């Protein structure tokens, strides 16, 4: 029983170690590197392809330096890893024979061959790999049937798509931030106006209360004729006061409605702009929020 548990534990660890890992390079690229499982060159290409990736193509010194830096941070020393190039099974042993990147089909211009490579030993070394025997992750040719690790990268169109999505996402964030920043400013102005109007309503209510107290006091000392005049004066005053209060109340409602209407319009404009950013063709909306 203990032996079985030990075997299962070892098997589990082996499976865990075999899982390829993503690594970020300092130049912004991402690489899926599998140094545990072993592949021939064709199966390595297929393993990348199944993930909508490709075997890495290194077409510049800058990309190579960034990748070497990444590999150096992962591994203590160079290891064998497939790259996405071959010589199209050229039988010659000429080190100047052309190599091609398999995914793009372009001839290899930039190279990072290790000393003595490419040698095409026994005329069967047609595929390119990072060589474990090199000093600094240089390349060599190798029989395509050899079983080694691999480096996958995102296909150019996926890189472009991801970058496009990031740019679109940032645009959406900027526009949304602008909308709510504008809304906060408008809301602050509206609240200040509402506060002022509420203050006027309170002030008018206080005036009415004081006036009513004054009328009540005067009526206690008045005759019928005076009371009639006071009542008429009171009705006139109350009607005017109520009219003022109603006007203030209506103004407060108008302010609230204007604030809601403006936000609704701005929100609708932003929604249309976001639709444009994500694929709609209404360019005027995008320009409105730039």
């Amino acid at each position: 029983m203990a032996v079985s548990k030990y075997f299962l534990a070892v098997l589990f660890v082996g499976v865990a170690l075999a899982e390829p890992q993503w690594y970020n390079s300092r130049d912004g690229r991402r690489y899926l590197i599998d140094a545990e499982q072993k592949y021939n060159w064709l199966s390595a290409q297929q393993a990348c392809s199944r993930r909508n990736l490709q075997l890495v193509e290194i077409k510049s010194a800058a990309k190579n330096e960034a990748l070497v830096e990444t590999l150096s941070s992962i591994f203590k020393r160079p290891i064998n890893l497939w790259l996405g190039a071959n010589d199209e099974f050229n039988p010659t042993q000429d080190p100047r024979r052309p190599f091609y990147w398999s995914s793009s089909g372009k001839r290899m211009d930039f190279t990072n061959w290790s000393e003595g490579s490419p040698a095409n030993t026994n005329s069967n070394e047609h595929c390119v790999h990072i060589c474990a025997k090199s000093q600094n992750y240089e390349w060599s040719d190798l029989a395509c049937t050899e079983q080694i690790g691999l480096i996958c990268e995102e296909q150019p169109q996926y890189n472009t798509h991801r970058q496009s999505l990031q740019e679109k996402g940032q645009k959406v964030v900027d526009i949304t931030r602008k909308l709510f920043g504008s809304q906060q400013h408008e809301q602050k102005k509206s609240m200040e106006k509402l506060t002022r109007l509420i203050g006027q309503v309170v002030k008018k209510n206080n005036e009415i209360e004081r006036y009513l107290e004054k009328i009540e006091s005067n009526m206690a000392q008045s005759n019928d004729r005076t009371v009639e005049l006071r009542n008429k004066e009171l009705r006139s005053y109350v009607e005017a006061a109520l009219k003022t209060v109603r006007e203030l109340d209506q103004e407060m409602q108008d302010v609230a409605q204007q604030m809601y209407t403006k936000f609704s319009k701005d929100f609708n404009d932003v929604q249309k702009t976001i639709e444009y950013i994500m694929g709609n063709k209404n360019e005027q909306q995008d320009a409105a929020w730039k």
Side-chain angles (χ1 to χ4, degrees), residues 50-245:
R50 281 194 297 271
R51 296 177 171 89
N52 290 322
L53 305 172
Q54 65 183 31
L55 278 174
V56 64
E57 298 187 355
I58 307 172
K59 300 175 183 177
S60 69
K63 182 175 181 179
N64 184 67
E65 289 170 6
L67 177 57
V68 167
E69 184 178 302
T70 301
L71 293 173
S72 299
S73 69
I74 302 168
F75 307 109
K76 294 181 179 179
R77 58 183 181 276
I79 63 171
N80 291 321
L81 297 166
W82 285 123
L83 303 179
N86 60 63
D87 65 0
E88 297 185 338
F89 297 91
N90 190 323
T92 69
Q93 294 182 331
D94 185 352
R96 294 170 298 178
R97 70 189 188 278
F99 282 80
Y100 298 88
W101 296 111
S102 60
S103 293
S104 65
K106 294 182 178 180
R107 181 168 177 168
M108 184 188 292
D109 293 323
F110 169 79
T111 61
N112 187 37
W113 296 116
S114 60
E115 186 176 354
S117 296
N120 198 11
T121 304
N122 299 322
S123 298
N124 71 341
E125 295 182 345
H126 302 294
C127 295
V128 182
H129 75 302
I130 289 177
C131 182
K133 296 179 180 179
S134 64
Q135 295 297 315
N136 191 31
Y137 296 89
E138 286 95 4
W139 311 347
S140 184
D141 51 350
L142 186 68
C144 301
T145 54
E146 290 291 328
Q147 302 281 321
I148 61 175
L150 58 77
I151 306 175
C152 301
E153 67 177 350
E154 292 173 313
Q155 297 174 4
Q157 61 267 33
Y158 283 92
N159 265 327
T160 302
H161 180 63
R162 182 160 59 90
Q163 184 178 0
S164 174
L165 284 179
Q166 289 173 342
E167 291 173 354
K168 288 178 178 179
Q170 187 58 51
K171 267 192 172 183
V172 170
V173 169
D174 292 342
I175 289 171
T176 305
R177 185 179 291 128
K178 183 176 180 180
L179 167 66
F180 285 101
S182 172
Q183 175 60 17
Q184 285 179 342
H185 177 69
E186 292 296 328
Q187 190 175 40
K188 182 180 178 182
K189 286 169 53 179
S190 297
M191 290 306 297
E192 289 173 351
K193 190 170 184 179
L194 286 172
T195 301
R196 177 175 57 79
L197 291 171
I198 290 171
Q200 291 178 11
V201 170
V202 171
K203 182 179 178 181
K204 180 57 67 175
N205 283 335
N206 291 337
E207 288 179 3
I208 292 172
E209 288 181 4
R210 287 195 299 271
Y211 186 80
L212 290 175
E213 289 173 358
K214 181 180 177 182
I215 291 295
E216 185 179 359
S217 175
N218 290 338
M219 281 186 172
Q221 305 171 7
S222 302
N223 54 38
D224 292 343
R225 176 62 180 165
T226 304
V227 170
E228 184 180 349
L229 291 173
R230 293 293 185 188
N231 282 336
K232 185 176 181 181
E233 181 183 348
L234 177 60
R235 281 195 300 271
S236 177
Y237 178 82
V238 169
E239 287 175 1
L242 289 175
K243 182 174 181 293
T244 301
V245 171

